Amino acid sequence: MPDLGRYAVAVLGSYGAATALMAGLVAVSLWQSRRVRRALRAAEARAGRNHG
Amino acid sequence: MSIWDYANPTRFMQTTGRILPWVMAAAALLLAVGLTWGFFLTPDDFRQGSTVRIIYLHVPAAMMAINAWGMMLVASLIWLVRRHHVSALAAKAAGPVGLTFTLVALVTGALWGQPMWGTWWAWDPRLTAFLILFLFYLGYIALWSAIEDPDTAADLTGLLCIVGSVFALLSRYAVNFWSQGLHQGATLSLDAEENIADVFWYPLLVCIAGFGMLFLGLVLLRTRTEVRARRLAALLARERMA
């Protein structure tokens, strides 16, 4: 760990905030993707049953 | 094979399904290498001390915030001119990604500005243009949510995107137009005398590549979600009518 001196709060705060924001965006994007994919599969299955 | 073939949702889903894991893996690798290199293996700056390490987040995030709006502009123009739905959905998908990068740039800029300038915020041309760009991102996302008909939403958000491009450009070039303000000029320059020292430049390049790949990966992932959501909406509408 480098010695950040009196700027430790600014540097670590920046890395913490950026990581939280970007990880949050990735997590939300993956969650939305899975949710929509599941709902689409269910709807396609229903449509297949109705037309089959 | 033309680029317009990817306007076909089936072709788009097939192609992006294959490349998305590689793009995400490249983003993770580049960010891990770039940020580790920048944080642990570079020296303090003679003037800014250890805060120079914020550059590896702030500069790539700010670049991608502006580039994301540029990508949205191109995708919106393609929608407005050629009516390709995938391009409108790609623009929609990029909105939250650009918003997050803008927020990262604003937050890291404030955290960097406080110890260097003695203030978290100043009504400096570049900072102000960036704040307006942030508000445009919020407006863009809100407009997509507020309009029920997707084609009308794509039309109106496309127009908003064209207007907002003025502020995306301003946030990039504001320091060239107005000399006053706290924010320094461009960090990166083709002029070796003006560009930052190599010891900071190389890890920064890796981080910029990592942010670029992360942007690409997230936009592809979110566009695929939008394409599926469009198909889901059509199936649900058909169920309701049956």
Side-chain angles (χ1 to χ4, degrees), chain B residues 101-112:
Chain B
F101 283 136
T102 310
L103 194 54
V104 169
L106 285 169
V107 170
T108 55
L111 284 162
W112 200 355

Side-chain angles (χ1 to χ4, degrees), chain A residues 1-23:
Chain A
M1 180 77 175
D3 178 18
L4 302 173
R6 60 200 172 108
Y7 301 130
V9 172
V11 177
L12 295 177
S14 293
Y15 276 77
T19 304
L21 285 168
M22 292 195 298

Side-chain angles (χ1 to χ4, degrees), chain B residues 84-115:
Chain B
H84 289 316
H85 284 97
V86 172
S87 87
L89 296 178
K92 181 184 181 186
V97 186
L99 176 82
T100 305
F101 283 136
T102 310
L103 194 54
V104 169
L106 285 169
V107 170
T108 55
L111 284 162
W112 200 355
Q114 210 288 328

